[in-house]
Amino acid sequence: MQVCCKKDPKFKPKPKKAVKYLPRQYGDLEFTYDVLHAYGNNYLAQVTMVNNHPLGRLDHWNLTWDWKNDEFIYSMRGAFVRKRDYARCVYGPAGEYYQDFDFSNVVTCDKSPIISDLPPAMKNDSKLGKLPYCCKNGTLLPTLMDEDKARSIFQLQVYKLPPNLNRTALEPPHKWRIDGVLNPQYKCSSPIRVDPTEFPDPSGLQGTSTAIASWQIVCNISRPKEKESRCCVSFSAYYNESVIPCNTCACGCEGDTGCSQKAGAMLLPAEALLIPFENRTQKAIAWAKLKHLKVPNPRPCPDNCPVSINWHLNTDYKTGWTARITLFNWDDAPFEDWFAAIQMGKAYPGYENVYSFNGTKLDKLNKTIFLQGLPGLNYLMGEVNGTRGGPRVPGKQQSVISFTKKQTPGINVPGGDGFPKRVFFNGEECALPTTIPIKSGGHKYRINLFTIVFTTILTLIMMTGCIY
């Protein structure tokens, strides 16, 4: 059976619904502030945050804003405040107006409250939990990893003060700010009034209910400035014994004294990557003497990064090449559901496979390879004590990545094409070294080898008397 279809010439697309307020915008991280119920002196609001960026992420997020008119949060579900303080209400304008009010039950009267997500154990709590997408311990993953964990919701009951006691006198907080543990830095816009959000009917019927008023706040990832990263990358290669470590002060050097913040990082032997910076000094000096390298005085400051990544050029042959990526966690806390993203530039089309991680090619995202832990291996453990009183040992995971040269003719792997252009860990962009390992003496070696072979053959000819 065959069916032929053709476009209906009389078809007209439905006109877009006119909006009363500003149209909704798109950003890396979106907040919606919906007023669900409004009364004379208070209202119930719901905050929804949605992660839209494929590499954006938040762990143990902390959200804060500023109230404009001395509002205070009376109760909250799906989240909690870091500091419960009602003294500002008792001694401030709220205490003057609500004279018979019991402020001991108020969640917070802080003008700039710090709000955090609840742990999963509170998800079914009848008083604090039982909200969809709540209680994930502050984890907000990319939709590429888990769509359910890319959204978070909490509700709060807000009390107002004169002259805003009319139920229609509604105004959201401003100066929204959010951060996490080793996550991207977000810059948020001011709230804009948008058409009320529509929700499924709570009765379960095929209908919708709308919020009384809605505002949208859009946050976009800002690229970190120099020495403001929270992770860094080191380079090494099979053709060079030295490792190019993370840059000096790659993640800042506040409070470091007695060291140079401008001196270049000293080259290291490969085994030194497993040793904390404070225990690397002797190895770095010994390696410099062995390789006849200059030792700066004063010596360079550490990189101060809680996470470091080593990219090692493993092999290079006629039809392909391989690299080994190693993740080091120098912090005490583990990273759950970690991910790394590698932008490879010219080498990207040749990506073949990653063997100990789960790898995905993101064609539409600047030639990025997305790496994450396999099920059961998605924890990057924290730093632990070494054995027999040795130095502390970082949490570590590694995998080999293979590339083929069939799709990348003319690629120069040791010349720079085999090293990443940008590296991300949990959405945070990592600082890269300014140089790559060089193939020391390679050209001279080929010339010397040719000379030796030619001299040997000439000597043999002369010894056998076959020269005329």
Side-chain angles (χ1 to χ4, degrees), residues 42-332:
N42 69 90
Y43 63 85
L44 178 67
Q46 177 172 285
V47 177
T48 305
M49 59 179 75
V50 180
N51 180 21
N52 294 321
H53 197 280
L55 299 182
R57 176 191 177 117
L58 283 165
D59 288 288
H60 307 288
W61 52 259
N62 290 319
L63 172 66
T64 184
W65 58 55
D66 292 348
W67 293 111
K68 284 187 175 182
N69 304 305
D70 293 318
E71 297 96 332
F72 61 90
I73 302 174
Y74 180 76
S75 62
M76 183 176 287
R77 291 178 58 192
F80 71 100
V81 294
R82 289 287 178 178
K83 184 179 180 180
R84 296 179 65 98
D85 181 15
Y86 56 89
R88 181 172 172 269
C89 286
V90 173
Y91 298 104
E96 295 179 4
Y97 179 75
Y98 296 103
Q99 295 186 2
D100 297 328
F101 198 89
D102 183 10
F103 288 102
S104 61
N105 296 322
V106 170
V107 169
T108 181
C109 295
D110 196 348
K111 183 179 180 180
S112 303
I114 301 176
I115 302 170
S116 301
D117 194 12
L118 288 173
M122 307 293 291
K123 185 174 183 179
N124 294 320
D125 188 277
S126 58
K127 184 178 179 180
L128 300 177
K130 288 195 173 181
L131 279 178
Y133 307 108
C134 89
C135 314
K136 297 191 288 286
N137 206 24
T139 298
L140 209 60
L141 298 179
T143 54
L144 182 66
M145 296 182 68
D146 192 329
E147 291 189 6
D148 288 339
K149 290 186 177 182
R151 179 185 299 264
S152 187
I153 287 177
F154 65 91
Q155 294 180 354
L156 61 157
Q157 188 176 9
V158 181
Y159 271 74
K160 303 180 294 182
L161 293 176
N164 301 315
L165 297 182
N166 191 313
R167 68 176 61 193
T168 60
L170 303 170
E171 191 171 5
H174 66 143
K175 295 184 180 180
W176 290 55
R177 305 173 295 278
I178 190 167
D179 61 12
V181 180
L182 206 146
N183 295 133
Q185 300 173 5
Y186 291 91
K187 186 175 181 180
C188 300
S189 67
S190 300
I192 60 170
R193 184 76 180 265
V194 295
D195 279 359
T197 304
E198 295 183 351
F199 302 97
D201 193 282
S203 64
L205 299 175
Q206 293 184 351
T208 58
S209 60
T210 60
I212 295 174
S214 298
W215 289 264
Q216 186 192 36
I217 300 93
V218 176
C219 304
N220 289 309
I221 295 175
S222 60
R223 190 167 182 176
K225 299 179 181 178
E226 186 179 359
K227 296 183 180 180
E228 286 189 3
S229 300
R230 284 178 280 184
C231 62
C232 63
V233 179
S234 61
F235 285 159
S236 57
Y238 68 90
Y239 52 78
N240 196 314
E241 294 178 330
S242 297
V243 175
I244 299 177
C246 293
N247 298 331
T248 304
C249 299
C251 299
C253 270
E254 295 183 6
D256 281 319
T257 57
C259 59
S260 173
Q261 300 185 12
K262 297 181 179 180
M266 297 177 62
L267 298 182
L268 299 172
E271 66 271 15
L273 291 177
L274 285 169
I275 302 174
F277 185 88
E278 56 269 19
N279 299 102
R280 290 182 185 177
T281 304
Q282 293 183 356
K283 284 188 175 291
I285 295 176
W287 190 252
K289 291 181 179 179
L290 182 64
K291 297 299 179 180
H292 307 289
L293 302 173
K294 183 180 179 181
V295 178
N297 186 18
R299 285 186 284 275
C301 293
D303 54 71
N304 293 315
C305 295
V307 170
S308 61
I309 299 174
N310 175 249
W311 182 270
H312 177 76
L313 199 57
N314 210 29
T315 61
D316 183 19
Y317 47 94
K318 184 177 180 180
T319 59
W321 59 283
T322 62
R324 183 179 67 239
I325 182 172
T326 309
L327 313 176
F328 299 96
N329 181 8
W330 301 98
D331 208 349
D332 294 330

Side-chain angles (χ1 to χ4, degrees), residues 412-429:
N412 186 356
V413 176
D417 294 338
F419 294 92
K421 309 305 177 187
R422 296 175 73 181
V423 176
F424 299 82
F425 179 81
N426 279 4
E428 171 76 9
E429 184 169 358

